[in-house]
């Protein structure tokens, strides 16, 4: 479904990178009236954007590093993002057990007081104190923990969140190409001439643009050195964060945030109904970001840190899946990886008269504000067009009445009673109102074609290929969904065979 541009077209903005920042910038820019072209060398969200802890949060621990602007901005964004993507974002209560000998209770109370009141919280409930000897949250913890603080943040389906930003950008007129590598970007008469290579068939083409945005995440310095041929000192600090997934450790729907003696924190989050997600680690990374993988040391660290709190010991043998990502933080020369700034940094420059904007750092929580900041730079260079608009614009599928997901699930089941409650819930949470794009003409499951397991039908796969840039079974099982956790290994082969047969099928006229 990758689009093409006419040979002589000059785009206003060319974006390198199909992560949350790149897709958010493309969406905001095209919505204001700029012509936009985005290229991603792999799949959407295949890098950092699908490898985070999947939280829309203010970052409670960032208060310790005095990052008040970042925390305030992130807290303000929580309810905006939740309102605009109620199918992908939902509130989550966080339980912070008090661990005697670590951060004192007074410090935690002050931090949570600030957290409650500096970010314009409206719908999310405030902090409260828990007696873990009576509250259900204490049942899965060791009996030494008797007190906890509970506060609010949100959870996000991160990879789908990125894909739907890209979908909205394309719906508004942007060209979005995946599996499309930028191999060079040369300057001529103040314009960028960008050479692209199709990663599937090897063909190349050139696109011309007035302004280049380098949103390549961990590859931001690589783009500067190899694509732009701009020899600047390294400005990015790569920090590896790894996560483990184990069978679920508790039955309630709250999340835990655990302090560790080394000053780090980890989360234990309900995940995909049947699992608990534990992470993250923080360690400097020097290798190719594409090769990142959890280390034995990280595995041991996460198991040990979680086992300090949970009554049940967590062992490496319990792990059902892991993932690791590289965070492209701005190098502020902090001594410890966990102390490096999580704030985004924007660097704008003219190279031979052609404007270039480089992005370092950022969080999925603040992607929309980062996009607005980038648009301020674009306006100064290319002239202003439309006004900021994304604060009140639902992502595709998020246009449900009152942003009420539960009510939408009920209406979906009423309109399509052949859907099981579990499948209706999964489809509603993944696609929102856009589920009807492949469900609308169906009167029974048979009308949706082959079921590859867990209600993943041919109709849904066709939709993901036609509308969401899915190309491989991995795209479908691990980014557009997390069904890879639930389905047997042979499902990937079945889906790959279906995709291959689909590609060979004649296109109807």
């Amino acid at each position: 479904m990758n689009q093409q541009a006419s040979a002589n077209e000059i785009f206003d903005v060319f974006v390198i990178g199909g992560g949350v920042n790149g897709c958010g910038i493309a969406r905001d820019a095209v919505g204001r009236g700029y012509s936009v072209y985005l290229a991603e060398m792999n799949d959407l969200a295949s890098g950092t954007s699908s490898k985070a802890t999947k939280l829309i949060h203010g970052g409670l621990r960032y208060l310790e590093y005095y990052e008040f602007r970042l925390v305030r901005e992130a807290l303000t964004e929580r309810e905006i993002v939740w309102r605009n993507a109620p199918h992908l974002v939902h509130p989550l209560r966080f339980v912070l057990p008090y661990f005697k000998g670590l951060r004192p209770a007074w410090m935690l109370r002050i931090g949570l007081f600030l957290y409650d009141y500096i970010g314009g919280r409206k719908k999310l409930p405030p902090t409260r104190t828990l007696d873990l000897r009576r509250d259900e949250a204490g049942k899965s913890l060791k009996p030494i923990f008797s007190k906890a603080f509970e506060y609010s943040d949100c959870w996000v389906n991160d990879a789908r969140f990125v894909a739907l930003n890209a979908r909205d950008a394309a719906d508004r007129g942007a060209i979005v190409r995946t599996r499309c590598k930028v191999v060079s970007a040369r300057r001529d008469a103040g314009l960028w001439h960008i050479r692209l290579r199709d990663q599937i068939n090897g063909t190349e083409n050139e696109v011309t643009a007035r302004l280049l945005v380098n949103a390549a995440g961990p590859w931001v310095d690589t783009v500067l050195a190899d694509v732009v041929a701009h020899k600047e000192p390294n400005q990015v600090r790569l920090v590896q964060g790894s996560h483990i997934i184990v069978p679920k450790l508790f039955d309630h729907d709250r999340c835990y945030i655990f302090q560790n003696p080394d000053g780090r924190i980890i989360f234990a989050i309900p995940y995909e109904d049947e699992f608990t997600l534990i992470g993250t680690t923080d360690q400097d990374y020097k290798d190719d970001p594409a090769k990142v993988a959890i280390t034995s040391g990280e595995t041991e660290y996460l198991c040990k840190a979680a086992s300090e709190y949970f009554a049940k010991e967590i062992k490496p043998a319990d792990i059902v899946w892991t993932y690791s990502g590289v965070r492209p933080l701005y190098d502020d020369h902090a001594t410890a990886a966990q102390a490096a700034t999580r704030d985004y940094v924007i660097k704008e420059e003219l190279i031979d008269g052609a404007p270039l904007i480089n992005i370092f750092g950022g969080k999925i929580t603040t992607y929309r504000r980062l996009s607005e900041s980038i648009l301020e730079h674009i306006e100064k260079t290319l002239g202003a067009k439309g006004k900021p608009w994304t604060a009140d614009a639902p992502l595709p599928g998020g246009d449900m009445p009152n942003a009420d997901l539960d009510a939408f699930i009920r209406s979906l089941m009423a309109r399509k009673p052949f859907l099981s409650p579990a499948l209706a819930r999964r489809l509603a949470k993944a696609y929102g109102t856009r589920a009807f794009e492949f469900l609308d003409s169906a009167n029974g499951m048979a009308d949706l074609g082959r079921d590859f397991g867990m209600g993943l039908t041919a109709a849904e796969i066709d939709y993901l290929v036609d509308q969401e840039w899915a190309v491989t079974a991995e795209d479908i099982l691990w980014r557009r969904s997390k069904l890879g956790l639930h389905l047997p290994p042979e499902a990937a082969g079945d889906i790959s065979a279906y995709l291959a047969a689909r590609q060979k099928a004649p296109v109807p006229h």
Side-chain angles (χ1 to χ4, degrees), residues 7-146:
N8 57 356
E9 186 171 1
I10 299 176
F11 288 85
D12 292 323
V13 179
F14 190 102
V15 181
I16 302 176
V20 71
N21 289 337
C23 292
I25 292 161
R27 176 185 182 235
D28 194 340
V30 74
R32 299 195 198 199
Y34 297 100
S35 56
V36 176
Y37 198 117
L38 180 145
E40 161 58 45
M41 66 178 176
N42 296 311
D43 183 28
L44 297 170
S46 55
T48 307
S49 293
S50 63
K51 307 293 174 57
T53 314
K54 309 183 191 310
L55 299 178
I56 299 291
H57 67 138
L60 180 62
R61 73 182 182 88
Y62 305 152
L63 291 172
E64 289 186 303
Y65 300 105
Y66 308 109
E67 300 224 35
F68 296 113
R69 190 209 63 78
L70 173 63
V71 174
R72 181 185 178 89
E73 182 175 278
L75 288 172
T76 303
E77 284 297 296
R78 290 179 309 181
E79 295 195 16
I80 295 173
V81 173
W82 174 24
R83 182 178 69 241
N84 288 335
H87 49 326
L88 304 180
V89 178
H90 66 75
L92 192 60
R93 293 290 279 174
F94 288 70
V95 176
L96 171 57
Y98 170 60
F99 198 138
K100 191 173 182 179
L102 298 182
R103 295 169 181 85
W106 64 264
M107 179 185 291
L108 298 177
R109 285 195 192 95
I110 290 174
L112 288 166
F113 176 83
L114 289 170
Y115 208 72
D116 269 348
Y117 291 104
I118 67 172
R121 177 183 54 81
K122 296 182 178 68
K123 292 176 67 177
L124 292 169
T127 298
R128 63 175 184 145
T129 302
L130 301 182
D131 182 347
L132 292 177
R133 293 165 298 189
R134 298 181 180 181
D135 193 279
E136 186 186 10
K139 290 180 181 178
S140 58
L141 302 179
K142 290 179 176 177
I144 60 168
F145 299 105
S146 59

Side-chain angles (χ1 to χ4, degrees), residues 154-368:
C154 293
W155 180 91
V156 62
N157 186 332
D158 51 6
R160 289 207 53 72
F161 190 80
V162 175
L164 294 187
N165 269 277
R167 180 67 265 160
D168 200 37
D171 287 346
R172 296 173 187 274
I175 289 183
V176 175
R177 287 185 66 191
T178 63
R179 267 81 181 191
C180 176
K181 186 173 184 177
V182 178
V183 292
S184 69
R186 60 183 177 83
R187 283 79 65 191
D188 184 22
L191 294 174
W192 289 100
H193 297 268
I194 301 138
R195 195 75 186 164
L196 306 173
R197 179 183 300 128
D198 189 302
Q199 300 281 70
I200 295 175
N201 60 31
T203 59
E204 294 192 359
N205 68 296
E206 190 166 283
V207 172
T208 306
R210 295 180 175 87
L211 182 146
L212 184 63
V213 177
N214 178 7
W219 290 271
V220 61
D221 273 344
T222 303
V223 167
L224 277 171
D226 298 344
V227 173
V228 180
H230 185 46
K231 303 298 183 183
E232 281 289 308
N234 289 340
Q235 300 173 75
V236 67
R237 180 174 186 172
L238 300 182
V239 174
Q240 176 172 339
S242 296
H243 298 76
I244 60 175
I245 290 89
V246 299
K248 71 176 181 178
L249 298 167
F250 46 91
D251 292 325
H252 57 80
D253 61 358
R254 287 174 282 177
C255 161
Y256 293 98
I257 174 172
F258 296 146
Q259 306 178 75
N260 297 307
D262 62 3
R264 300 182 193 173
I265 56 96
I266 64 165
F267 296 96
I269 305 171
Y271 192 60
E272 286 290 307
D273 297 327
E274 300 172 21
F275 305 97
T276 300
L277 168 64
I278 299 172
T280 182
T281 57
D282 275 299
Q283 62 181 34
D284 286 308
Y285 185 78
K286 303 295 185 184
D287 204 352
D288 179 354
K291 297 178 181 177
V292 66
I294 194 168
T295 64
S296 58
E298 288 178 304
T299 300
E300 183 181 341
Y301 175 85
L302 291 174
C303 288
K304 183 179 179 182
S307 296
E308 289 288 325
Y309 287 85
F310 285 117
K312 178 187 182 299
E313 183 182 3
I314 294 111
K315 301 175 181 177
D318 298 325
I319 297 170
V320 297
W321 187 51
T322 69
Y323 65 88
S324 300
V326 178
R327 295 186 285 275
L329 306 181
Y330 182 70
D331 192 357
D332 59 359
H333 306 291
T335 53
Q338 69 262 31
T341 182
R342 262 54 177 178
D343 208 349
Y344 54 81
V345 175
I346 299 167
K347 297 283 188 178
E348 184 178 15
E349 53 191 321
L350 277 176
I351 304 180
D352 302 330
L356 169 68
I357 301 175
N358 300 298
I359 300 164
F360 302 88
K363 293 153 40 77
I364 195 166
T365 306
T366 52
Y367 91 104
R368 196 194 64 81

Side-chain angles (χ1 to χ4, degrees), residues 461-480:
I461 290 175
D462 290 345
Y463 177 81
L464 290 172
V465 172
D466 294 337
Q467 298 296 319
E468 293 193 10
W469 297 272
V471 174
T472 68
E474 182 185 357
D475 298 348
I476 292 165
L477 292 174
W478 295 105
R479 282 182 288 277
R480 304 306 181 278

Side-chain angles (χ1 to χ4, degrees), residues 387-403:
K387 296 179 180 179
W389 62 277
T390 57
D392 299 306
L395 284 175
D399 55 339
M400 54 189 68
N402 303 313

